[in-house]
Amino acid sequence: MSFVLGIPRKFKYVKVDSLNEALELLREGSKILAGGQSLLPLLKLRILNVDTLVDIKNLDLRGVSENEKEIEIYSLTTHNEVASKVKLLSKVAFTIADFQVRNKGTIGGSLAHADPSSNYYPALLVLDAKVKVKSKKGEREIKVVDLYISPYTTSMREDEIITSIIIPKKKELNFTYEVYKRGGSAYPTAIVAVAVEGNKYKVSFGGITEKPILFEGEVESENTIKNVIERLREEKIISDIHADSSTRLKIAERLFVNAFLRASKGVSDQFNIPAIENKWKSEVIRGEEMVTVKMKVNDFEMEDEVEPRTLLLDFLRRNGYKEVKRGCDEGKCGACTVIIDGKSVKSCLTLAVEVIGSDIKTVKGLSDIKQLKESFLENFAMQCGYCTHGFLMVTYDYLKRIGKRDDDELLKHSIKNICRCTGYFNIIKAIKTSSSNQ
Ligand SMILES: Cc1cc2nc3c(=O)[nH]c(=O)nc-3n(C[C@H](O)[C@H](O)[C@H](O)COP(=O)(O)OP(=O)(O)OC[C@H]3O[C@@H](n4cnc5c(N)ncnc54)[C@H](O)[C@@H]3O)c2cc1C
Ligand code: FES
Ligand code: FES
């Protein structure tokens, strides 16, 4: 049997429309599919193989509710939605990956995946959050401090689904968050979250050890910094190709001092993100061998027979949409970006069956992208042009929904596509100088 790079092994795909049906289908060999931004790379690399993918995107587990005591975030809320709806987590969620990953990836998926560099764990640890999980046996709550066991392993059982995340509200809380990343849409090298409430502090470090660290105590100005750093130096710090342990430790120490001093002075970190809604609802289907996929591409009705494992990228390219490019094939470069129901998404991390009935646009189908295209041309924002379509797609979405073309901080965390000809200076200039009508 031949090994095909980038294509998962065959599986059965079921898009459910009720939580009970999803719970019914959870058993050995099946896996929940939420945003697919962590699961699909694993399936494509065949590090993980499944018999059945249970797509829960149609479930009513999206959005945020609040009362005077707590904030409840439903598990399918995407990172961009969390950033726009939960002020406290705006920086935490908006510094995840890039705009496209944040349009599809979900807070529940991130906690269930339990990556040691997850943006959420350090924040939710210092905020005393808990998750609600459901199974056929009933519902229970797990404190986030008890959820993460080791890399990619949680204390949830195989038959459980995270339905929401609950954060208690605190009156005099100062919360700061620092994250250090290499370029592109890399995972963080180090993360620090600090919560100061009266004379009590909690600090959590992510990305530097196999399990996010949590320290807590009473604030004693300079002594606190000294004590935390001493305790941190006793930990076993990760060393890998991205940073050796001493570099990681130095970065973490610096981030901590900065975050702690700011929190002790009464600062709280927040980004100001306009309201974002990411609709992810499409037809319910159950497919084993071949599935009929119907969708609109650039206002043209398309229909094709595909295996459930077919990537949207391959579906589009083999139907003639060659402007959508295959680059890294692992979700990092953004060359494959298209607009799905108004939001930019990486088509190499999306299955064609996930978006049955959706409205897909490439640059050829967007009537209101003319100004941006002209700005790319006028600023020589391309050399070979391979990456250009992807850049146009994510920029189009960012400008439409965030619109802050001069906010370097928000731009830096949003448009992270890779240009192999290294034309970033002109690309940024094109984005910043394109007409604000975009
Ligand atoms: C290029 C790139 C860069 C990234 N950078 C970052 C980063 O900087 N910081 C960061 O935190 N993350 C990063 N991520 C990961 C991203 O945040 C994912 O969205 C997230 O980890 C998984 O969420 P998902 O909804 O995509 O879950 P999926 O990929 O669909 O699922 C992940 C796992 O969780 C399980 N699962 C999903 N939902 C539930 C649920 N409700 N209940 C129980 N189990 C569930 C699945 O079965 C699977 O095992 C990056 C991803 C990519 C591709
Ligand atoms: S992100 Fe899809 S090909 Fe690189
Ligand atoms: S212009 Fe050549 S890859 Fe970007």
Side-chain angles (χ1 to χ4, degrees), residues 20 77 104 106 149 314 319 331 345 398 419 427 435:
N20 281 345
T77 312
K104 199 159 182 265
T106 66
I149 302 288
D314 292 317
N319 280 290
V345 173
Y398 172 85
C419 170
I427 292 170
S435 157

Side-chain angles (χ1 to χ4, degrees), residues 241-307:
I241 50 164
H242 307 307
D244 63 22
S245 50
S246 67
T247 310
R248 261 206 170 81
L249 187 62
K250 273 190 204 130
I251 295 170
E253 287 178 6
R254 280 196 174 200
L255 295 184
F256 162 65
V257 173
N258 192 359
F260 182 75
L261 289 177
R262 288 187 303 110
S264 337
K265 282 183 193 149
V267 175
S268 272
D269 282 331
Q270 281 181 3
F271 281 177
N272 193 10
I273 313 292
I276 297 183
E277 292 291 340
N278 284 337
K279 176 181 157 277
W280 270 111
K281 215 164 175 85
S282 64
E283 283 170 35
V284 173
I285 66 152
R286 288 155 186 85
E288 201 136 2
E289 287 298 321
M290 298 300 275
V291 180
T292 306
V293 168
K294 288 185 195 172
M295 62 181 79
K296 249 192 205 169
V297 186
N298 294 341
D299 299 321
F300 191 77
E301 296 286 353
M302 287 209 18
E303 188 175 325
D304 199 357
E305 291 276 301
V306 301
E307 288 181 310

Side-chain angles (χ1 to χ4, degrees), residues 44 313 325-337 346-349 420:
K44 286 173 72 175
L313 171 63
K325 299 286 190 270
R326 168 171 267 115
C328 63
D329 210 10
E330 56 179 33
K332 292 199 174 118
C333 73
C336 62
T337 305
K346 292 171 180 169
S347 61
C348 77
L349 291 190
R420 290 154 186 85

